[in-house]
Amino acid sequence: MATIGDGGTTIVNHRTFRLLLNVYPPYLGAGVHVRHVSSDFREIVVEMPLRFFNRNYVGTHFGGSLYAMVDPFYMLMLIKNLGPDYIVWDKAASIDFVKPGRGTVRAHFRLEEKVLEEIKERVKDGGKYLPTFTVPVVDRHGDVVARVEKVLYVRKKP
């Protein structure tokens, strides 16, 4: 079976990448669906409808599911864009629950070229860099339900 890869051991295209994420058991269990992965892995769209299995006691999205739907994407996007010469890990995360999530929620991830250039510049001499990314989770009206901040660890391999 193909794997998403560690930045070089297994190469998969964006369609296979999306398919693998959509059959990943934690995402199946939470009802998370990856709607779009761009061919350059710089844009990903994820959705999660409100279902009985991801609903909390008061009938809104369970906070853990909201976080799970956004957890790995910036790390995966950096791994795919920086390639096998870089180490990329999640370092820290925080989530701000802005309003109750009802219905389908969506997160849209974008990775700009200038961010990739800055990361490469900061780690070119062997140091580490801790870039921070923020992604809003929005409802069908575009209102922010939650805001997730991710801190990643990036270093060039020796």
Side-chain angles (χ1 to χ4, degrees):
M1 179 175 167
T3 60
I4 290 173
D6 65 0
T9 58
T10 304
I11 305 297
V12 297
N13 68 30
H14 66 287
R15 289 181 191 95
T16 304
F17 183 84
R18 181 177 161 261
L19 173 67
L20 290 172
L21 287 168
N22 280 323
V23 298
Y24 183 52
Y27 278 176
L28 285 173
V32 174
H33 189 76
V34 180
R35 291 284 178 203
H36 172 74
V37 177
S38 66
S39 61
D40 61 2
F41 297 94
R42 292 191 188 175
E43 191 169 5
I44 295 178
V45 177
V46 180
E47 288 183 345
M48 182 175 60
L50 182 61
R51 303 275 193 240
F52 75 93
F53 49 82
N54 63 14
R55 183 180 317 214
N56 64 22
Y57 186 76
V58 295
T60 62
H61 277 286
F62 175 63
S65 296
L66 288 169
Y67 176 73
M69 78 177 276
V70 303
D71 179 29
F73 293 103
Y74 278 118
M75 182 184 80
L76 295 173
M77 293 165 78
L78 283 180
I79 288 170
K80 294 304 249 176
N81 276 275
L82 293 173
D85 294 334
Y86 294 83
I87 298 166
V88 181
W89 287 100
D90 279 325
K91 173 114 173 76
S94 65
I95 185 167
D96 178 24
F97 299 108
V98 177
K99 71 179 252 185
R102 295 180 174 86
T104 299
V105 293
R106 173 182 278 231
H108 193 153
F109 304 86
R110 288 183 192 91
L111 185 58
E112 303 291 333
E113 179 65 31
K114 67 181 180 178
V115 171
L116 291 170
E117 290 171 9
E118 179 182 0
I119 291 169
K120 289 176 184 178
E121 180 63 28
R122 296 246 189 158
V123 301
K124 71 179 181 183
D125 295 325
K128 70 177 179 181
Y129 179 48
L130 305 174
T132 300
F133 298 91
T134 302
V135 62
V137 177
V138 300
D139 64 16
R140 67 185 173 139
H141 303 293
D143 295 335
V144 176
V145 170
R147 195 171 290 107
V148 179
E149 185 174 274
K150 299 283 297 195
V151 179
L152 278 74
Y153 170 97
V154 182
R155 182 182 295 263
K156 193 158 173 53
K157 288 181 180 175

